Amino acid sequence: MLLKGKSAIVTGAAQGIGREIALELAKQGCGVTLADLNDASSTAAAIADLGGQAATSLTDVSNSRDVDALVETAIASFGRLDILVNNAGRQTWAPLLELAEESWDRTLAVNLKGTFLCTQRAARWMKDHGGGRIVNLGSGCNKHAFPNLVDYTASRGGVEMFTKSAAVELGRYGITVNCVAPGAIETERTKLEVADYAGSWSALTPLGRIGQPRDVARMIVALCGDAGEFVTGQTIWVDGGLFSRAPWVE
């Protein structure tokens, strides 16, 4: 167990990639606090089935009082906080000229402000207790402009630069901050985006397949273990080479 005795917070842990991250951390011996706007009890039950420990917190990451309560829950449950994974996110499918102001505000509040609030509150505790690891979730929108995702793209670009700035400031306290940017990952949500999600994206991915949530989760475990001790301020692409490939006429 690479993380035995550690304590982690994972936001957006009720389903999808966040759920898998929480499960993988638990498999490595980590006590996990599951934060989500929705009930994360099924993830907690799955962790218990693995022999692990989990606490749950109904949390709006854009609300500072909720985030304060989340950190308090993690510390009360496990006596420490070593790892934060900022996974909670939302997106709006809409052209720029039709995007509602409320959608822009909510996406930036969850994806960018939420990352800021959770990082700030967790890092304040880590600073006085020997350091820690923070991992922010990005996406292909960190690097490329996707149509009809203007609010999401803006927020993910912000998360990448926030990661770098936070890494520079927090390094002196023994806190690493990195961004993990998934490519085409098969989840219940992404499978609804196109009729043949796996077939469409695997054809564009140099490794010839789409990603699974466990691909992302295992990279996060690596960054949070001894192997990630001297890695900070970086964006790690978990995309099978997808976003390294330029469009090319053959």
Side-chain angles (χ1 to χ4, degrees), residues 128 174 180 202 223 237:
D128 296 327
V180 167
S202 61
L223 287 171
W237 294 91

Side-chain angles (χ1 to χ4, degrees), residues 28-102:
Q28 298 300 329
C30 210
V32 187
T33 301
L34 311 168
D36 207 291
L37 272 175
N38 300 307
D39 182 12
S41 59
S42 66
T43 305
I47 288 173
D49 289 343
L50 295 170
Q53 294 182 302
T56 60
S57 175
L58 288 174
T59 303
D60 177 354
V61 296
S62 70
N63 183 295
S64 59
R65 288 186 296 274
D66 277 16
V67 174
D68 288 338
L70 168 62
V71 172
E72 290 170 4
T73 296
I75 295 166
S77 299
F78 301 107
R80 58 191 295 163
L81 177 57
D82 306 280
I83 297 164
L84 167 67
V85 182
N86 285 308
N87 168 75
R90 73 182 303 276
Q91 60 183 195
T92 307
W93 289 93
L96 169 61
L97 300 183
E98 299 173 15
L99 179 65
E101 181 180 354
E102 312 86 73

Side-chain angles (χ1 to χ4, degrees), residues 108-136:
L108 271 290
V110 173
N111 298 4
L112 190 52
K113 182 182 178 183
T115 296
F116 154 67
L117 288 175
C118 290
T119 297
Q120 184 186 66
R121 268 48 173 195
R124 285 173 176 169
W125 197 90
M126 292 174 179
K127 168 183 175 291
D128 296 327
H129 295 84
R133 308 290 171 84
I134 298 173
V135 182
N136 303 321

